[in-house]
Amino acid sequence: MVVTTTRADTGEPLYSTFASRYVRASVPRFKMPERSIPKEAAYQIINDELMLDGNPRLNLASFVTTWMEPECDRLIISAINKNYVDMDGYPVTTELQNRCVNMIAHLFNAPIGEDEIAVGVGTVGSSEAIMLAGLAFKRKWQNQRKAEGKPHDKPNIVTGANVQVCWEKFANYFDVELKEVKLSEGFYVMDPVKAVEMVDENTICVAAILGSTLTGEFEDIKLLNHLLTEKNRETGWSTPIHVDAASGGFVAPFLYPDLEWDFRLPLVKSINVSGHKYGLVYAGVGWIVWRNKEDLPEELIFHINYLGSDQPTFTLNFSKGSSQIIAQYYQFIRLGFEGYRSIMENCMENAKALKEGIQATGRFEIVSGDVGVPLVTFSLRDSSRYTVFDVSESLRRFGWIVPAYTMPAGAEHMALLRMVIREDFSRSLAERLVSDIRKVVADLDGRWARTAIVAEVKAEEKPGGVVAYRKSVRETTQQQEIDGDRRGRVDRKKTSGVC
């Protein structure tokens, strides 16, 4: 892009394509520069460096939305200078958030009437939403234990080892023990039976995942609700359920309306969902909704009046932008139930096409199931020559960002590739990706064959007539490098941080 400006000293127009027309010396990286530079130069310097980033549309590692309609883009830009926390100054934005909360509550079958107000709040993302939900459960459990005169200093949460890293953060930051149900071969989500066995009197909630980060699968929350109800009846406890629907909350209601996972189950007291995933909004916005007002302890809600009228707030941060909340409301009224269902159906069809293309190569084993969020996870059938980490790295040459990772405890021997299918991933892109995967596999096969130990074997005559065979130094060194690289990649442990 050509930037046009005018020199202040001469009035001469300057057509500048590159910032070096303005700035000869490199810009300091870690200290603020002493002098100002023209806005065109600042823009070009940053823009040039950002070209080295990956293409968000080809980033299949992330669930996060990477495309919205131009009309919504304009709404986002127009609201980018609004601080959401100033509710008195921006009452319409506050009203739009409340409408979103109520729409989500009804979508999740909360027990509220048509004219009742749901209990919930918009957050920066599901991580903040989970922190708020966990705090509510912890405080309610502590209050109950205090009222009963029992110890209240060792709370715990039961969840699966496939849990997202934000749950580990909550447990660490807020001094709660995280009791994880290990995975098992062929079963890569939390087992409800084992989870309920781990529940004790100090369990503040069982956290179930609707849309596992690792494989996209839904956990059996209906069975969990049944088993936990029986245990509560036997023990006299009242252990509740929280549903982490970050990925699946905007998928299940449209694709699997008869699946019971939400507030239709009595023990489900709160649900979080990411608006910036299948809610179809740019990062970052999340939502947390409670079943009833009684499930959110009043003492966690703060009231301020120094920005205007009395304003209740329950967030971890204070200031945040209004744009994503407005964008979420735009998507709700623009698409409606019909539009969301159509988009999710198309995502699943594209995921199915991608899965079939990957299976047709004959080189991979599909791990993800047919019911869940639109993604494909798969492993190599034969990892003796190269690993999924090699495949991931090779796909970068074509612009694709595809994560490779090892599974958590109980299935740590497995290493997978994962491809998340979003609204902006078309059928033609799926076909191109399969084609590129075939190229990568063929290239890795050829590379392995060239470095395999099948080259010349030299024979030497030794004293006494003994013939010794040895590999060339070059061949031995190459194979050592390959084996070392393979071991290093397989040993990498990156599971719960995958997003």
Side-chain angles (χ1 to χ4, degrees):
M1 180 180 72
V2 176
V3 178
T4 304
T5 186
T6 302
R7 290 185 184 274
D9 52 349
T10 65
E12 176 188 356
L14 177 64
Y15 295 87
S16 175
T17 303
F18 299 103
S20 59
R21 299 285 182 92
Y22 292 104
V23 182
R24 298 283 179 175
S26 62
V27 177
R29 293 189 178 187
F30 305 115
K31 291 180 64 178
M32 187 180 294
E34 293 294 327
R35 303 186 63 178
S36 303
I37 60 175
K39 60 183 183 295
E40 296 88 352
Y43 168 83
Q44 198 69 56
I45 289 170
I46 297 171
N47 186 66
D48 288 351
E49 203 162 356
L50 287 174
M51 288 192 300
L52 300 175
D53 266 348
N55 184 341
R57 294 281 300 276
L58 300 182
N59 182 5
L60 304 185
S62 177
F63 289 85
V64 175
T65 297
T66 53
W67 178 86
M68 297 188 75
E69 292 176 322
E71 291 77 9
C72 193
D73 288 347
R74 292 202 296 269
L75 285 173
I76 289 172
I77 294 299
S78 68
I80 206 163
N81 59 350
K82 290 183 180 179
N83 185 0
Y84 173 76
V85 76
D86 190 357
M87 301 177 190
D88 189 60
Y90 309 117
V92 176
T93 301
T94 302
E95 170 64 17
L96 297 187
Q97 186 221 226
N98 294 339
R99 292 179 192 177
C100 287
V101 167
N102 280 269
M103 289 179 180
I104 294 169
H106 282 289
L107 187 66
F108 295 166
N109 295 292
I112 56 175
E114 288 295 326
D115 298 324
E116 290 185 74
I117 298 175
V119 181
V121 66
T123 59
V124 174
S126 272
S127 292
E128 183 187 7
I130 284 168
M131 302 285 175
L132 299 180
L135 285 171
F137 282 119
K138 181 180 179 181
R139 184 60 58 87
K140 190 167 185 181
W141 174 83
Q142 287 176 325
N143 290 344
Q144 182 178 342
R145 298 283 290 182
K146 289 177 183 178
E148 296 171 351
K150 297 178 180 179
H152 55 274
D153 59 336
K154 294 183 178 179
N156 69 66
I157 285 179
V158 174
T159 190
N162 57 309
V163 72
Q164 216 267 355
V165 70
C166 57
W167 284 99
E168 299 176 32
K169 288 183 178 180
F170 169 77
N172 191 326
Y173 296 167
F174 295 100
D175 199 21
V176 176
E177 179 188 3
L178 194 66
K179 300 170 69 173
E180 296 183 348
V181 179
K182 289 186 177 182
L183 309 185
S184 59
E185 186 69 36
F187 196 79
Y188 307 120
V189 292
M190 179 180 69
D191 184 338
V193 175
K194 294 179 181 179
V196 172
E197 289 174 354
M198 296 177 70
V199 170
D200 58 33
E201 62 179 350
N202 294 321
T203 303
I204 63 176
C205 79
V206 179
I209 313 297
L210 189 80
S212 171
T213 296
L214 302 175
T215 61
E217 298 173 82
F218 295 159
E219 294 182 344
D220 193 341
I221 302 170
K222 184 176 182 179
L223 177 58
L224 175 64
N225 180 84
H226 171 72
L227 296 174
L228 194 54
T229 298
E230 291 297 314
K231 184 157 189 172
N232 285 342
R233 183 180 295 117
E234 294 171 2
T235 60
W237 303 335
S238 55
T239 308
I241 296 172
H242 173 84
V243 179
D244 179 357
S247 301
F250 284 124
V251 175
F254 306 107
L255 296 184
Y256 317 104
D258 297 328
L259 181 68
E260 295 183 38
W261 62 272
D262 52 19
F263 291 120
R264 285 171 287 184
L265 303 175
L267 290 182
V268 174
K269 303 300 182 181
S270 56
I271 301 172
N272 70 276
V273 64
S274 290
H276 60 228
K277 293 183 179 179
Y278 289 105
L280 308 180
V281 177
Y282 296 137
V285 60
W287 304 93
I288 172 71
V289 180
W290 283 270
R291 183 184 194 87
N292 296 303
K293 185 178 180 180
E294 294 74 25
D295 295 311
L296 175 58
E298 179 64 31
E299 63 265 31
L300 293 178
I301 301 173
F302 288 80
H303 295 263
I304 61 171
N305 60 12
Y306 49 80
L307 291 175
S309 60
D310 177 69
Q311 299 172 16
T313 175
F314 180 37
T315 58
L316 292 183
N317 63 308
F318 192 66
S319 296
K320 69 177 179 181
S322 297
S323 295
Q324 272 64 25
I325 290 171
I326 294 169
Q328 185 74 83
Y329 185 67
Y330 171 89
Q331 293 289 51
F332 283 169
I333 67 169
R334 162 75 174 94
L335 297 171
F337 193 95
E338 177 188 28
Y340 269 90
R341 181 175 58 196
S342 176
I343 290 171
M344 298 310 150
E345 287 174 346
N346 186 58
C347 287
M348 289 300 290
E349 289 171 3
N350 288 334
K352 181 180 179 182
L354 181 60
K355 182 187 300 184
E356 291 171 350
I358 292 170
Q359 283 178 316
T361 67
R363 308 301 294 274
F364 300 98
E365 196 73 40
I366 301 296
V367 176
S368 52
D370 295 327
V371 176
V373 299
L375 60 78
V376 182
T377 55
F378 53 103
S379 61
L380 272 169
R381 288 184 174 178
D382 179 9
S383 296
S384 62
R385 298 182 174 186
Y386 47 84
T387 70
V388 292
F389 298 96
D390 297 306
V391 176
S392 174
E393 184 173 308
S394 295
L395 281 169
R396 290 261 183 172
R397 290 186 294 131
F398 298 95
W400 301 106
I401 302 174
V402 178
Y405 51 91
T406 53
M407 294 288 272
E412 53 273 277
H413 63 285
M414 290 189 63
L416 304 179
L417 291 158
R418 187 193 70 190
M419 299 174 176
V420 178
I421 310 306
R422 301 185 301 269
E423 179 188 5
D424 57 353
F425 186 82
S426 64
R427 187 66 56 87
S428 60
L429 283 177
E431 293 168 354
R432 169 56 60 185
L433 177 53
V434 171
S435 174
D436 290 341
I437 289 173
R438 288 183 178 275
K439 293 175 185 175
V440 163
V441 170
D443 179 66
L444 289 172
D445 284 341
R447 199 185 309 173
W448 181 86
R450 288 191 297 272
T451 55
I453 308 173
V454 293
E456 66 178 287
V457 176
K458 297 182 178 179
E460 289 186 356
E461 191 73 30
K462 295 289 185 181
V466 177
V467 178
Y469 296 92
R470 63 181 177 83
K471 303 164 192 166
S472 69
V473 174
R474 179 175 176 274
E475 289 170 338
T476 303
T477 302
Q478 281 182 334
Q479 191 61 36
Q480 288 174 343
E481 290 175 351
I482 293 168
D483 292 342
D485 182 63
R486 181 182 294 123
R487 285 193 298 272
R489 293 178 185 279
V490 173
D491 287 343
R492 292 176 186 169
K493 300 293 183 181
K494 185 64 175 176
T495 55
S496 56
V498 176
C499 62

